[in-house]
Amino acid sequence: MAVCPKSADTWQRYKLTCIEYDWIRFSQAGECANPGCNNPAQHLDHNHTTGKVRQFLCAGCNKALGYLGEDYQRMAGLIQYLQEHEE
């Protein structure tokens, strides 16, 4: 199996071939998978519990998920908080 030279650790972590890796990137047209974000995708996101690969996110969205521990309640709470404090 061919391994993408630019992402050898991706093979080690997720067992993605070059074709799979490139297909995920191509299918997103280089954009962050977050529908509310227009930044370029840079980081391959994965489920930290199962290890399953999801899609590419920009650096900010990837960090936000990590900081929030992928916790839906915390994310929803922050959305509510922002809505309540809109000016």
Side-chain angles (χ1 to χ4, degrees), residues 39-74:
N39 293 327
Q42 301 162 312
H43 300 276
L44 186 60
D45 181 46
H46 68 284
N47 182 307
H48 286 256
T49 303
T50 67
K52 183 178 177 185
V53 170
R54 293 189 277 226
Q55 290 181 291
F56 282 88
L57 296 173
C58 72
C61 289
N62 189 51
K63 287 178 187 175
L65 276 182
Y67 290 145
L68 292 169
E70 300 182 12
D71 183 326
Y72 295 103
Q73 288 181 328
R74 288 179 72 190

Side-chain angles (χ1 to χ4, degrees), residues 5-72:
K6 62 187 173 215
S7 61
D9 75 320
T10 302
W11 173 255
Q12 292 297 320
R13 288 182 186 188
Y14 313 115
K15 305 298 185 225
L16 287 181
T17 65
C18 278
I19 293 169
E20 293 167 325
Y21 181 91
D22 288 341
W23 175 250
I24 296 169
R25 283 192 82 96
F26 173 79
S27 67
Q28 291 180 229
E31 295 179 5
C32 181
N34 175 357
C37 181
N38 295 324
N39 293 327
Q42 301 162 312
H43 300 276
L44 186 60
D45 181 46
H46 68 284
N47 182 307
H48 286 256
T49 303
T50 67
K52 183 178 177 185
V53 170
R54 293 189 277 226
Q55 290 181 291
F56 282 88
L57 296 173
C58 72
C61 289
N62 189 51
K63 287 178 187 175
L65 276 182
Y67 290 145
L68 292 169
E70 300 182 12
D71 183 326
Y72 295 103

